[in-house]
Amino acid sequence: MNKQIAPVIDIKNICELSPFSDFKISRLDDLSCTANEFQEPHRHHYYTIFWISSGSGIHYVDLEQYHYSGPVAFMLSPGQVHRIEQTIPADGYIIKFLPSLFKDENDFLDYVIDTCLFDCVTLQPKISFDKTIERRVNNTVEQLVMEYEAPNADSINVISSYLKILITYINRAKNKNISSLISMGSPQ
């Protein structure tokens, strides 16, 4: 997947009916917002969380392929070339956001940078979940969807808060996965 020729998708050009300029969330089967994820390799101009609660396939990220079977999350940074090839159609959501969603720069640093969840160099973008964290992630994503679909004047604050909670749960899963690998004696 060549970054030179992979088109760049801008957050303003997707889910155009959204009232938010720096946050979008949609079901994976909503083709008006996600069709490009399953077509040609491309990259984004924003951060992306793929929450796949069920389904299976291969997610090609940069030059690697990651076989998946839900529940799983993929964390992508701006500029990463990717494409999803489904074996069994995925159920879940794609969450897209810009750093400007975080009104306080320290929140962006704490939740996005310091967790290293979006570190495309040293960490795999795929994160698996146990049942406890899966339930919490599902509940948080549902709350995000409800706020997104029925916006109020202060909705962006609520969305930002739920996104921070979601990132915290995903970080717990990542840490649990790393601890399991270490206890089994496997290098990451």
Side-chain angles (χ1 to χ4, degrees), residues 74-92:
F74 285 94
M75 315 297 282
L76 299 181
S77 293
Q80 287 189 274
V81 177
H82 78 107
R83 179 179 66 85
I84 298 174
E85 186 178 290
Q86 299 184 88
T87 306
I88 298 173
D91 188 29

Side-chain angles (χ1 to χ4, degrees), residues 16-80:
E16 293 175 9
L17 299 177
S18 169
F20 306 106
S21 61
D22 48 9
F23 179 84
K24 314 281 179 159
I25 185 169
S26 59
R27 293 195 64 81
L28 285 169
D29 61 2
D30 179 358
L31 294 182
S32 67
C33 295
T34 62
N36 61 325
E37 304 303 334
F38 306 104
Q39 295 169 357
E40 64 183 352
H42 63 280
R43 48 198 166 126
H44 301 157
H45 202 25
Y46 46 84
Y47 289 89
T48 309
I49 300 171
F50 287 91
W51 168 240
I52 300 171
S53 55
S54 64
S56 63
I58 302 170
H59 194 163
Y60 298 92
V61 180
D62 292 333
L63 300 174
E64 301 291 327
Q65 53 179 296
Y66 299 93
H67 293 267
Y68 69 85
S69 180
V72 65
F74 285 94
M75 315 297 282
L76 299 181
S77 293
Q80 287 189 274

Side-chain angles (χ1 to χ4, degrees), residues 27-159:
R27 293 195 64 81
L28 285 169
D29 61 2
D30 179 358
L31 294 182
S32 67
C33 295
T34 62
N36 61 325
E37 304 303 334
F38 306 104
Q39 295 169 357
E40 64 183 352
H42 63 280
R43 48 198 166 126
H44 301 157
H45 202 25
Y46 46 84
Y47 289 89
T48 309
I49 300 171
F50 287 91
W51 168 240
I52 300 171
S53 55
S54 64
S56 63
I58 302 170
H59 194 163
Y60 298 92
V61 180
D62 292 333
L63 300 174
E64 301 291 327
Q65 53 179 296
Y66 299 93
H67 293 267
Y68 69 85
S69 180
V72 65
F74 285 94
M75 315 297 282
L76 299 181
S77 293
Q80 287 189 274
V81 177
H82 78 107
R83 179 179 66 85
I84 298 174
E85 186 178 290
Q86 299 184 88
T87 306
I88 298 173
D91 188 29
Y93 290 89
I94 180 170
I95 300 159
K96 309 162 189 185
F97 64 94
L98 293 170
S100 58
L101 175 67
F102 299 94
K103 301 303 177 210
D104 181 352
E105 183 181 352
N106 287 329
D107 284 347
F108 175 72
L109 294 172
D110 290 346
Y111 289 93
V112 177
I113 304 301
D114 291 350
T115 61
C116 297
L117 286 171
F118 297 91
D119 182 348
C120 57
V121 176
T122 61
L123 201 64
Q124 290 190 2
K126 177 180 144 185
I127 299 171
S128 302
F129 295 84
D130 66 22
K131 289 291 181 194
T132 302
I133 297 177
E134 176 191 1
R135 279 191 302 275
R136 290 178 178 171
V137 167
N138 272 328
N139 290 338
T140 305
V141 169
E142 291 301 325
Q143 294 297 319
L144 270 168
V145 169
M146 285 192 298
E147 193 66 33
Y148 182 77
E149 291 178 346
N152 289 295
D154 60 353
S155 286
I156 203 68
N157 296 326
V158 175
I159 286 170

Side-chain angles (χ1 to χ4, degrees), residues 75 111 114-117 123 127 129 133 165-177:
M75 315 297 282
Y111 289 93
D114 291 350
T115 61
C116 297
L117 286 171
L123 201 64
I127 299 171
F129 295 84
I133 297 177
I165 293 167
L166 177 64
I167 289 170
T168 300
Y169 287 145
I170 294 170
N171 195 46
R172 280 186 192 173
K174 174 198 79 171
N175 291 334
K176 199 172 207 178
N177 292 345

